[in-house]
Amino acid sequence: MNFLAAAIAILAVIPSAIGEAWLISRAIDGIARNPEAYSKLRSSMILGAALVETTAIYALLVSILCIFMGM
């Protein structure tokens, strides 16, 4: 049962990866359309990617806790 809980917890990585890819794709599109806004878009993209990536890290942490701590 612990492994099932871990598998369900790690499913949160899928939307996180999709969101991060979409974020970076949109930032690249914005930079291609307006090269002068490169620094502003880059800093916003890095901040957004960091926030999206924390979801995947939390899901991994919950998954590891489910396996080793036993719910």
Side-chain angles (χ1 to χ4, degrees):
M1 203 56 142
N2 294 341
F3 294 111
L4 180 61
I8 292 171
I10 206 70
L11 286 178
V13 173
I14 295 170
S16 176
I18 291 170
E20 192 169 354
W22 183 79
L23 171 79
I24 293 170
S25 167
R26 295 298 176 183
I28 290 173
D29 285 344
I31 291 169
R33 290 183 181 162
N34 189 5
E36 292 84 24
Y38 171 76
S39 63
K40 190 173 184 180
L41 285 172
R42 185 187 59 148
S43 61
S44 297
M45 180 193 68
I46 290 172
L47 178 64
L51 292 173
V52 170
E53 191 66 29
T54 57
T55 304
I57 292 169
Y58 288 143
L60 178 65
L61 179 66
V62 168
S63 177
I64 290 171
L65 287 174
C66 287
I67 291 173
F68 291 114
M69 299 302 279
M71 294 179 75

